[in-house]
Amino acid sequence: MEISERKKKILSAVIDAYIATAEPVGSKAIAESGVLDISSATIRNEMAELTAMGYLEQPHTSAGRIPSPQGYRLYVNELMERQRLSLDETEQINQSMNLKIQQLDKLMNDVGRVAASLTQYPVVALAAPVAATITRYDLIYVDANTFIVVVMLNDKAVHNKLIHLPFSVEQSMISRISSVFNTMFTGITEDKITPELIDSAERACGDTMGLVSVVSTFAIETLKETTHGEAVFSGASHLLRQPEFRDPDKAHEIMNYLSDSEHILGLPAITSGGDLEVIIGPENVAEELKDSSVIIARYDAGDNMQGLIGVVGPTRMDYSGVAAKLSYIAEGLSRLLGSAAAPPGFEKLQLKGDEPK
Amino acid sequence: MEISERKKKILSAVIDAYIATAEPVGSKAIAESGVLDISSATIRNEMAELTAMGYLEQPHTSAGRIPSPQGYRLYVNELMERQRLSLDETEQINQSMNLKIQQLDKLMNDVGRVAASLTQYPVVALAAPVAATITRYDLIYVDANTFIVVVMLNDKAVHNKLIHLPFSVEQSMISRISSVFNTMFTGITEDKITPELIDSAERACGDTMGLVSVVSTFAIETLKETTHGEAVFSGASHLLRQPEFRDPDKAHEIMNYLSDSEHILGLPAITSGGDLEVIIGPENVAEELKDSSVIIARYDAGDNMQGLIGVVGPTRMDYSGVAAKLSYIAEGLSRLLGSAAAPPGFEKLQLKGDEPK
DNA sequence: ATTAGCACTCAGAGAGCGAGAGTGCCAGTG
DNA sequence: CACTGGCACTCTCGCTCTCTGAGTGCTAAT
């Protein structure tokens, strides 16, 4: 059966009301809301049909209706009004982003926190796995037993590590190693750093003390970490405010699930690749999320890298509000990090006269 | 009235039982537990006196007793047996620590996670505020518009930042700035980096483009961050398994409180400085923690710096078990980071022959 | 096609009741 | 005199029962 325009309006009204109150919605409430000028009896009939069609559900005979996953799906795809953020809200987001995002390596953490406090839902954020490579090595000689390795990745993140040796090395050796790494170890992914490569690098710089091995281990670790992506989970406490998670066991289960970064890292696999995606209740593959919805926004992190930021909530979630906020945040991140934009650091350049403090 | 040896034994038994079951403890249960060879009636009398003395409380007339904060205090100070960890447990802790602790800047995060999963309670971890200074600057010239600033702090952490310029600079300028910073900006705390100092540094290197300002801003930011300390909160979900936090509102309140790093950073102020400290329920100054206990262990992070790691739970908490685990973790951290120990990086040195992968 | 009216259903709140755990006290005992 | 057994008393918890009211589905009228 084709779904009439009026049915859509009713479905929409039911969902809006249910999102707001978390209680089953009755025909009378819809009639009185004034969106449609028809009596409650007519609405009752329409609702009965919507139920038969699978868009609504009835917790029990004498209760109102609640939307089914299929109902939410229709709502998200067609009915939901693309909510516009108020000027206040965009301003607030901009501010938090500027304020919080200081260092790139803590970006995920901060983005998660900002998004959680804005949406009032728990948030997972991750940098999607990519084939990371190192574009540049610098070895800084500190003293005879100490040097710092600084590497720059293709995503422009800079990592470093202080290395202490149980023996002393000459500065010339350090710079020899540095140049060898810059020619032999740049632009390759982690799996390309083979023992053979390390061997030949050792021969190339005449290293018999395992220095090459130390540096390459750090390179491998760094690449591995970036390649796997990093996942964070923020704002767990917001979950407890949702009526559907007042059962501590339920809340515990889902929090536990989301705390495990393994699970979050698997998230990209289930997204189709769109900029904004909504996964409703049972559409989730994970058993633990069958009663929850996830809204995922994708952002461009430059150099073909993508990040994901997702909001988790009950199926009765403020889809339109969250979608709007999430899109805005993702856009902001893309602007900040994306390939088209200036690299990080640029926008925080303080020229003379701007008083730091 | 002086508290007799027998009363102490009874109190101890009550607390042990209450910690295990979370239910009020009756005289019969104590009598049957067999720790004392006296009848339940005698125990009843003793318990009545313990109640009068303020060590026990009665939820209502016909229920068993639960320990009062004062009772817990006595228990923690005198009665509690210093639990020893099994070999299995220490092994497990060692493993997780070695496995997880890769990079110093993510240390807090990882330590928190490990401790939370070991104790099965939520954990807060923080690096205590200290007067951080920078001991060394390195500026790496990448291209005409780009350079990397690498700074090493007195706690041996290394931070870096990639800086892009809207104009080009010469390599010689970069190295000039580097040497100026290494002479003028090392060994001083954040508040000593004044506009005047920056001015004179600019004159010293002939910088008219605000480069000095960019670098000093980064220095100030880094120092501020380290000086303030960093706080993390892990394992929130464990809270929900405690019967006393099955009320979602309560759980939400405390999670919220602990999520705010401001609150955690205030924690050191209330500790007296011992290695291990137990703060019981109402002894907490924060209203939100009046029903919870906190066990805090201090560890040496080298260079007069101290870190704190704390476990939060209901007043009915497994004090002895948590204390033992926490002490062990703190000791491990002290060994890893402490002034006496080799600096980080050392223990992960892989000499030739250790196959990376 | 829509609406007003009405009988019917059923979850949830509240009252009432009984069981059981635990207490306090007293009188008896070694 | 310290301890114990016994007993009456108290109070929470869980149970059932009832009642209320929101909401439905159907029917007859417009």
Side-chain angles (χ1 to χ4, degrees):
Chain A
M1 194 205 302
E2 203 39 62
I3 184 166
S4 72
E5 218 34 62
R6 193 170 71 180
K7 279 201 180 58
K8 285 185 186 172
K9 276 210 180 109
I10 292 174
L11 178 59
S12 205
V14 170
I15 294 183
D16 285 336
Y18 186 62
I19 284 177
T21 64
E23 309 244 306
V25 184
S27 55
K28 208 173 154 196
I30 301 288
E32 280 168 2
S33 78
V35 273
L36 283 161
D37 206 14
I38 47 180
S39 78
S40 72
T42 312
I43 293 176
R44 254 201 307 286
N45 289 330
E46 293 281 52
M47 279 166 81
E49 283 180 44
L50 280 167
T51 308
M53 293 162 81
Y55 293 107
L56 292 176
E57 283 172 359
Q58 224 169 351
H60 54 261
T61 336
S62 71
R65 302 302 211 288
I66 61 173
S68 72
Q70 188 189 337
Y72 282 121
R73 178 43 69 198
L74 187 68
Y75 176 78
V76 168
N77 288 356
E78 296 187 34
L79 276 33
M80 160 175 110
E81 291 178 34
R82 203 68 171 193
Q83 199 173 307
R84 298 213 40 167
L85 297 178
S86 73
L87 219 66
D88 266 15
E89 285 172 310
T90 59
E91 189 48 44
Q92 199 196 339
I93 296 179
N94 289 342
Q95 256 191 13
S96 332
M97 298 236 300
N98 276 334
L99 205 73
K100 293 275 180 164
I101 293 168
Q102 300 279 1
Q103 278 193 293
L104 217 52
D105 42 325
K106 296 200 183 111
L107 179 91
M108 297 275 76
N109 250 307
D110 293 333
V111 169
R113 227 171 287 185
V114 169
S117 94
L118 279 169
T119 58
Q120 297 285 305
Y121 286 103
V123 166
V124 296
L126 75 164
V130 279
T133 62
I134 290 176
T135 55
R136 181 190 171 101
Y137 291 78
D138 286 280
L139 272 61
I140 301 173
Y141 178 87
V142 179
D143 61 40
N145 297 305
T146 319
F147 63 100
I148 301 173
V149 188
V150 181
V151 299
M152 188 166 139
L153 300 190
N154 58 338
D155 66 352
K156 298 192 188 67
V158 180
H159 291 244
N160 61 62
K161 181 170 182 173
L162 184 75
I163 294 183
H164 267 257
L165 301 169
F167 48 81
S168 49
V169 285
E170 310 232 323
Q171 188 146 14
S172 62
M173 174 58 110
I174 297 290
S175 50
R176 203 152 61 237
I177 292 178
S178 174
S179 71
V180 166
F181 267 87
N182 272 306
T183 52
M184 295 177 65
F185 286 76
T186 48
I188 55 176
T189 50
E190 178 251 324
D191 55 308
K192 296 287 191 310
I193 303 182
T194 57
E196 291 76 41
L197 184 66
I198 295 171
D199 266 5
S200 68
E202 268 171 356
R203 276 194 304 278
C205 28
D207 166 38
T208 56
M209 297 172 291
L211 290 175
V212 168
S213 169
V214 175
V215 176
S216 60
T217 302
F218 170 61
I220 291 172
E221 268 173 26
T222 307
L223 288 175
K224 253 190 199 153
E225 196 182 300
T226 308
T227 304
H228 278 154
E230 197 189 353
V232 301
F233 172 45
S234 327
S237 66
H238 293 306
L239 210 59
L240 293 172
R241 285 212 316 229
Q242 300 299 328
E244 28 276 277
F245 291 105
R246 292 195 68 82
D247 173 6
D249 293 327
K250 256 192 180 162
H252 181 255
E253 184 192 4
I254 196 163
M255 274 192 204
N256 235 4
Y257 182 78
L258 295 173
S259 302
D260 187 343
S261 47
E262 292 293 311
H263 294 138
I264 300 181
L265 290 173
L267 222 61
I270 59 164
T271 65
S272 69
D275 270 358
L276 190 77
E277 192 144 354
V278 180
I279 304 162
I280 297 167
E283 296 172 8
N284 279 293
V285 271
E287 202 53 49
E288 288 85 351
L289 296 177
K290 291 281 188 213
D291 287 334
S292 310
S293 287
V294 185
I295 304 186
I296 297 176
R298 210 173 267 272
Y299 61 85
D300 178 9
D303 242 340
N304 289 325
M305 289 178 47
Q306 293 198 318
L308 248 50
I309 175 161
V311 168
V312 181
T315 45
R316 180 198 60 79
M317 191 178 188
D318 176 10
Y319 292 97
S320 78
V322 170
K325 284 179 188 143
L326 217 50
S327 297
Y328 191 82
I329 294 175
E331 267 170 43
L333 284 171
S334 294
R335 228 177 305 126
L336 202 67
L337 307 171
S339 6
F346 178 75
E347 65 290 339
K348 278 202 276 309
L349 178 66
Q350 277 195 330
L351 292 178
K352 198 180 166 180
D354 292 345
E355 209 65 280
K357 175 109 244 186
Chain B
M1 193 207 301
E2 204 37 64
I3 184 166
S4 72
E5 219 32 64
R6 193 171 70 180
K7 280 202 180 55
K8 285 185 185 172
K9 277 213 179 105
I10 291 174
L11 178 59
S12 206
V14 170
I15 294 182
D16 285 336
Y18 186 62
I19 284 176
T21 64
E23 310 245 305
V25 184
S27 54
K28 209 172 153 195
I30 300 288
E32 281 168 2
S33 76
V35 274
L36 282 161
D37 207 14
I38 47 180
S39 78
S40 72
T42 313
I43 293 176
R44 256 201 305 285
N45 289 329
E46 293 281 53
M47 279 167 80
E49 283 179 45
L50 280 167
T51 308
M53 293 162 80
Y55 293 108
L56 292 177
E57 283 172 359
Q58 224 169 352
H60 51 85
T61 337
S62 71
R65 303 302 211 288
I66 62 173
S68 72
Q70 188 190 335
Y72 283 121
R73 177 45 68 197
L74 187 69
Y75 176 78
V76 168
N77 289 355
E78 296 187 36
L79 275 34
M80 161 174 108
E81 289 178 35
R82 204 66 172 192
Q83 199 172 309
R84 300 214 37 171
L85 297 178
S86 72
L87 218 66
D88 266 16
E89 287 172 308
T90 59
E91 190 48 42
Q92 199 196 341
I93 295 179
N94 289 342
Q95 257 192 11
S96 332
M97 299 237 299
N98 276 334
L99 206 72
K100 293 274 179 166
I101 294 167
Q102 300 278 2
Q103 277 193 295
L104 216 51
D105 42 323
K106 296 200 184 112
L107 180 91
M108 297 276 75
N109 250 309
D110 293 333
V111 168
R113 226 171 288 183
V114 169
S117 94
L118 278 169
T119 59
Q120 296 285 304
Y121 286 103
V123 166
V124 296
L126 74 165
V130 280
T133 62
I134 290 177
T135 54
R136 182 192 170 101
Y137 291 79
D138 286 280
L139 273 61
I140 300 174
Y141 177 87
V142 178
D143 61 42
N145 296 305
T146 320
F147 63 101
I148 301 173
V149 189
V150 181
V151 298
M152 186 166 140
L153 301 190
N154 58 338
D155 67 351
K156 297 192 188 67
V158 181
H159 291 244
N160 64 62
K161 181 171 182 172
L162 184 75
I163 293 181
H164 266 256
L165 303 169
F167 47 81
S168 48
V169 283
E170 311 232 323
Q171 186 146 17
S172 62
M173 174 57 111
I174 297 289
S175 51
R176 202 150 63 238
I177 292 177
S178 174
S179 72
V180 167
F181 266 88
N182 270 307
T183 52
M184 294 177 66
F185 286 76
T186 48
I188 56 175
T189 50
E190 178 250 325
D191 54 307
K192 296 287 190 314
I193 303 182
T194 57
E196 290 77 39
L197 184 66
I198 294 171
D199 266 4
S200 68
E202 268 172 355
R203 276 194 302 279
C205 24
D207 165 37
T208 56
M209 297 172 291
L211 290 174
V212 168
S213 170
V214 175
V215 176
S216 60
T217 303
F218 170 61
I220 291 172
E221 268 173 24
T222 307
L223 288 174
K224 253 191 198 152
E225 194 181 302
T226 309
T227 305
H228 279 156
E230 196 189 354
V232 301
F233 172 45
S234 327
S237 67
H238 293 306
L239 209 59
L240 293 172
R241 286 212 315 229
Q242 300 300 329
E244 27 276 278
F245 292 105
R246 291 195 69 82
D247 173 5
D249 293 327
K250 257 192 179 162
H252 180 256
E253 184 192 6
I254 195 161
M255 274 192 203
N256 234 5
Y257 182 79
L258 295 173
S259 302
D260 186 342
S261 48
E262 292 293 312
H263 293 138
I264 299 181
L265 290 173
L267 222 62
I270 59 165
T271 65
S272 69
D275 270 358
L276 190 78
E277 193 143 354
V278 181
I279 303 161
I280 298 166
E283 296 172 8
N284 280 292
V285 271
E287 202 52 50
E288 288 85 351
L289 296 177
K290 291 280 188 212
D291 286 333
S292 310
S293 287
V294 185
I295 304 186
I296 297 176
R298 210 172 266 272
Y299 61 86
D300 178 10
D303 242 339
N304 290 326
M305 289 178 46
Q306 292 198 317
L308 247 51
I309 174 161
V311 168
V312 182
T315 46
R316 179 198 62 78
M317 190 178 189
D318 176 11
Y319 292 97
S320 77
V322 170
K325 285 179 188 144
L326 218 49
S327 297
Y328 191 82
I329 294 175
E331 268 170 42
L333 284 171
S334 295
R335 229 176 306 126
L336 201 67
L337 307 172
S339 4
F346 178 73
E347 66 290 340
K348 277 201 278 308
L349 178 65
Q350 276 196 330
L351 291 179
K352 197 179 167 181
D354 291 347
E355 208 65 281
K357 174 105 246 189

